[in-house]
Amino acid sequence: MKEHVDEINRVIKVLKGENYKKISLVLNLDKCARLVEKLDSLATTCKECEQFLLEFKEHFIHLNANKDKIDKIMVKKHKQLLYQTELHLKKKHKSVPEGYYFGTYMSLGMSLGIIFGLTLFDNIALGLPIGLSIGIAIGDWIGLRC
């Protein structure tokens, strides 16, 4: 499996090059690299992850061969592959997107900050930043542990 990951990363590096900055943004190559690493770590225990990894390899070889003429159909196929992979990781492996806990606990902290600001401090402007800070700290801590 390592040779598949190396091949995919090589193509991603080529597509991130100076001549293909726009393509890199449209194809969201940073996200692709993270998904490939996640798939590689799970491919030994999950046949579907192994299959997705092979699909990514074939897809990126095709993208590399046609890098000067990437059209809307290829981008649509790419985004569909990303979506299917993310869906599999979420459902089967309980994977969450990057920043999930951060955003969840930040909003929870803000809500609690408003409540405590109104009840304890009689000042919403004081409770909001305190709750926001606590929510960010908890979300960041939980995100690092998962």
Side-chain angles (χ1 to χ4, degrees):
M1 283 295 123
K2 193 65 176 162
E3 61 274 356
H4 298 309
V5 174
D6 291 341
E7 177 71 20
I8 294 168
N9 286 332
R10 185 187 64 75
V11 173
I12 287 175
K13 190 174 183 179
V14 167
L15 292 175
K16 279 185 175 180
E18 285 296 317
N19 300 335
Y20 305 104
K21 289 287 186 188
K22 188 175 181 181
I23 292 171
S24 175
L25 292 174
V26 170
L27 296 178
N28 205 351
L29 294 177
D30 293 329
K31 184 179 191 178
C32 292
R34 288 192 308 269
L35 284 175
V36 166
E37 291 302 318
K38 185 74 169 175
L39 288 172
D40 183 41
S41 67
L42 297 168
T44 56
T45 58
C46 177
K47 292 292 183 193
E48 293 172 33
C49 288
E50 186 177 345
Q51 185 62 34
F52 276 118
L53 198 57
L54 292 173
E55 283 182 45
F56 262 100
K57 180 183 177 189
E58 291 171 10
H59 176 68
F60 274 102
I61 289 172
H62 179 70
L63 282 177
N64 192 31
N66 299 305
K67 62 187 167 213
D68 292 325
K69 50 188 175 209
I70 292 179
D71 58 358
K72 289 183 180 182
I73 296 170
M74 292 171 75
V75 171
K76 184 177 178 181
K77 182 181 177 189
H78 178 78
K79 289 187 178 186
Q80 207 170 29
L81 180 61
L82 285 180
Y83 175 75
Q84 290 172 346
T85 305
E86 283 182 318
L87 191 64
H88 167 74
L89 290 173
K90 284 179 188 175
K91 286 186 175 184
K92 182 120 187 222
H93 303 289
K94 308 291 189 243
S95 178
V96 294
E98 187 176 333
Y100 173 79
Y101 293 110
F102 185 83
T104 302
Y105 282 94
M106 181 179 66
S107 60
L108 181 66
M110 287 174 58
S111 302
L112 292 175
I114 290 172
I115 292 170
F116 290 131
L118 288 173
T119 57
L120 296 178
F121 306 124
D122 262 346
N123 187 352
I124 195 171
L126 183 60
L128 189 61
I130 291 171
L132 178 69
S133 302
I134 292 171
I136 287 174
I138 293 171
D140 195 37
W141 180 70
I142 289 176
L144 290 175
R145 295 189 70 218
C146 293

